[in-house]
């Protein structure tokens, strides 16, 4: 075994459609390898929550100019939460992990994630956080824009109905009774918004490996990844 490669801390990029279980999977991989997990979607959600809280939305319309003018005032940080086994997000020092997960934020986040200045700020933060390797990032543009040289790139997908069902159950478990039809609509709308936005649209990097987990168990998914990982470190 090549020990240089074996000891190298890899950069692992997990992109794909919304509600495929990317974050859960990325978190499991990070725990297994002793790596840091970075949930980049949480960062776009945090900026969205800030915009909502500061009256920058009129219905679904975002006042992008106002948001851009205030970007420097939005401080996003992560603090490890041992009870979750992952880092919670804070906006200007206030805990926001729960509030960024509501359907309201899910419905509005595409408006914010399509603003170039927002992407520039968050991509730079993500690159700084992952600079030394030993990281698993999940998002939409990790393998294409944030870390185009990532050691392992996965592109996750699953049938929209399967994804909506999973998300619906997740929300229900938290006491959020959003109807299944609305969750499915949100999944389909976000797929379209993610793929069709002008800047950094969601697309599979040429060297990414597709993982369709519609009919896979969590264990099968991990076995799929570990096979790739071992091929990488045992070369
Ligand atoms: O992964 P998520 O569903 O929490 O992400 C929330 C939104 O943020 C999603 O609709 C697309 C956007 N996003 C993005 O544009 N780029 C990323 N790297 C991560 C998320």
């Amino acid at each position: 075994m090549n020990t240089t490669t074996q000891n190298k801390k890899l950069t692992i990029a997990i992109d794909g459609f919304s509600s495929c279980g990317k974050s859960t999977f990325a978190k499991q991989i990070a725990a297994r390898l002793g790596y840091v997990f970075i949930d980049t979607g949480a960062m776009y959600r945090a900026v969205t929550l800030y915009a909502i809280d500061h009256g920058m939305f009129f219905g679904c319309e975002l006042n992008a100019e106002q948001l851009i003018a205030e970007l420097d005032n939005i401080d996003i940080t992560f603090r490890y939460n041992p009870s979750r086994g992952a880092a919670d997000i804070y906006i200007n020092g206030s805990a926001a992990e729960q509030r960024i997960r509501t359907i309201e934020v899910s419905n509005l986040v595409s408006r914010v994630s399509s603003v170039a200045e927002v992407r520039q700020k968050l991509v730079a933060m993500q690159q700084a956080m992952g600079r030394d390797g030993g990281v698993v990032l999940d998002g939409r543009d990790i393998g294409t824009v944030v870390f185009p040289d990532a050691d392992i790139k996965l592109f996750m997908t699953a049938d929209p109905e399967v994804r909506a069902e999973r998300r619906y159950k997740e929300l229900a478990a938290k006491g959020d009774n959003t109807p299944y039809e609305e969750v499915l609509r949100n999944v389909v709308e976000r797929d379209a918004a993610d793929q069709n936005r002008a800047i950094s649209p969601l697309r599979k990097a040429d060297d990414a490996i597709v993982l369709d987990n519609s009919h896979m168990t969590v264990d099968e998914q991990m076995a799929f990844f570990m096979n790739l990982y071992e091929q990488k470190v045992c070369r």
Side-chain angles (χ1 to χ4, degrees):
M1 192 181 288
N2 176 339
T3 47
T4 313
T5 319
Q6 191 191 9
N7 294 333
K8 189 185 161 213
K9 291 191 144 219
L10 305 186
T11 299
I12 299 166
I14 303 194
D15 290 305
F17 291 99
S18 67
S19 305
C20 277
K22 293 189 301 297
S23 296
T24 308
F25 190 33
K27 193 169 107 175
Q28 286 165 346
I29 293 171
R32 177 94 178 235
L33 303 180
Y35 282 12
V36 171
F37 159 54
I38 303 172
D39 178 351
T40 66
M43 298 164 80
Y44 290 93
R45 287 172 178 273
V47 177
T48 305
L49 182 59
Y50 182 95
I52 294 170
D53 285 349
H54 289 77
M56 296 181 195
F57 275 102
F58 301 91
C60 291
E61 288 312 310
L62 169 69
N63 183 340
E65 273 176 30
Q66 195 187 346
L67 177 60
I68 292 164
E70 283 207 29
L71 268 183
D72 287 344
N73 302 330
I74 310 176
D75 181 42
I76 294 172
T77 46
F78 286 98
R79 273 182 237 161
Y80 189 72
N81 176 348
S83 69
R84 232 169 47 86
D88 287 345
I89 202 160
Y90 289 74
I91 307 170
N92 293 339
S94 296
E97 189 59 40
Q98 307 282 325
R99 293 189 62 218
I100 61 165
R101 307 286 169 194
T102 60
I103 194 87
E104 183 189 17
V105 172
S106 297
N107 281 334
L108 296 174
V109 63
S110 300
R111 308 279 167 168
V112 168
S113 65
S114 60
V115 177
E117 288 81 354
V118 171
R119 300 204 72 84
Q120 264 165 26
K121 174 184 165 106
L122 298 188
V123 166
M125 273 183 71
Q126 291 153 16
Q127 288 170 334
M129 290 162 78
R131 194 176 39 211
D132 299 328
V135 282
V136 187
L137 298 100
D138 93 86
R140 303 295 189 287
D141 58 346
I142 310 303
T144 50
V145 176
V146 183
F147 286 108
D149 297 328
D151 301 286
I152 299 178
K153 297 183 188 179
L154 284 184
F155 189 85
M156 285 178 70
T157 182
D159 300 339
E161 292 77 13
V162 172
R163 289 186 277 138
E165 179 74 26
R166 289 175 186 160
R167 185 102 191 93
Y168 168 76
K169 285 185 181 155
E170 219 175 84
L171 287 167
K174 287 190 226 159
D176 180 331
N177 296 319
T178 307
Y180 168 80
E181 290 69 27
E182 189 182 339
V183 178
L184 177 61
R185 191 166 54 243
N186 175 259
V187 163
V188 171
E189 280 173 10
R190 278 206 292 155
D191 284 358
D194 287 348
Q195 287 176 291
N196 296 322
R197 69 167 170 250
I199 311 139
S200 305
L202 171 66
R203 69 168 182 83
K204 185 184 102 55
D206 293 338
D207 51 351
I209 292 156
V210 175
L211 171 60
D212 182 335
N213 68 6
S214 304
H215 307 290
M216 262 177 148
T217 65
V218 169
D219 288 348
E220 285 167 347
Q221 192 170 261
M222 183 54 85
F224 178 93
F225 171 78
M226 287 310 289
N227 185 32
L228 288 176
Y229 174 76
E230 275 152 22
Q231 280 175 32
K232 202 77 188 172
V233 295
C234 298
R235 260 192 330 206

